[in-house]
Amino acid sequence: MSNAGLWAGIAILVYAGVVFWQSLTLDYFSRMGPGPGFFPRWLSGILFILTLIYIWDAMKKNVLTLRDLLPSGRALGNMAAMLGGLVLFTLLLDYTGFIVAAVILLFIMFIRDFRWYYALGASAVISILLFFVFQTLLGVSLPTNNFGW
């Protein structure tokens, strides 16, 4: 139960199986040669085989516990803040638009190392700059709120 390598291998094995199953809905060949299902089918099949080898190795030789994998102290807090910020960003993006969601994400990341006003200012400037670069210069549409940002 405490073998983290085994559980990670099982998760990757399930992922490879789902990708393989989904690739079966795509054409394997097209008129021009390999179709859109060719690449994901082979990659997920190879990943499936390599993951089985990894699971065997994790069970026999290299038993890893979760404690061996996770950092401790401040590094664990940084990792938790980053994951929490990403989850919050994903949940807020459609409702608040890119700029607000990005400001919140960056603020969560910066507040651990800077004073709140520096963290908020840097978050706002970086988010607005990224929005400008993607929307105006690159022509990539980002989610916006009712105000257009």
Side-chain angles (χ1 to χ4, degrees):
M1 186 72 173
S2 65
N3 190 344
L6 175 66
W7 288 108
I10 291 171
I12 295 170
L13 193 68
V14 169
Y15 173 76
V18 169
V19 171
F20 186 81
W21 179 60
Q22 290 293 316
S23 73
L24 294 175
T25 64
L26 302 171
D27 292 331
Y28 190 72
F29 284 113
S30 69
R31 290 177 297 177
M32 303 294 290
F38 181 83
F39 192 64
R41 196 170 305 170
W42 276 95
L43 281 182
S44 61
I46 292 169
L47 180 62
F48 195 86
I49 292 168
L50 290 175
T51 304
L52 287 175
I53 295 169
Y54 174 75
I55 288 173
W56 172 343
D57 186 59
M59 288 176 21
K60 297 293 181 189
K61 300 176 189 170
N62 297 324
V63 176
L64 293 173
T65 62
L66 194 57
R67 182 174 294 197
D68 296 335
L69 297 177
L70 289 178
S72 60
R74 183 157 174 80
L76 182 61
N78 288 341
M79 192 173 82
M82 182 64 187
L83 289 174
L86 284 173
V87 168
L88 193 59
F89 177 82
T90 304
L91 294 174
L92 292 177
L93 185 61
D94 287 336
Y95 302 105
T96 63
F98 176 79
I99 292 178
V100 175
V103 167
I104 293 170
L105 168 66
L106 292 174
F107 182 76
I108 290 171
M109 290 172 39
F110 293 160
I111 194 66
R112 297 182 55 78
D113 292 317
F114 301 105
R115 297 182 189 268
W116 72 267
Y117 45 87
Y118 289 132
L120 185 60
S123 301
V125 168
I126 291 170
S127 298
I128 292 168
L129 181 64
L130 284 173
F131 186 80
F132 174 76
V133 167
F134 278 91
Q135 286 283 113
T136 307
L137 300 178
L138 298 175
V140 175
S141 296
L142 295 174
T144 57
N145 57 21
N146 292 336
F147 301 111
W149 45 274

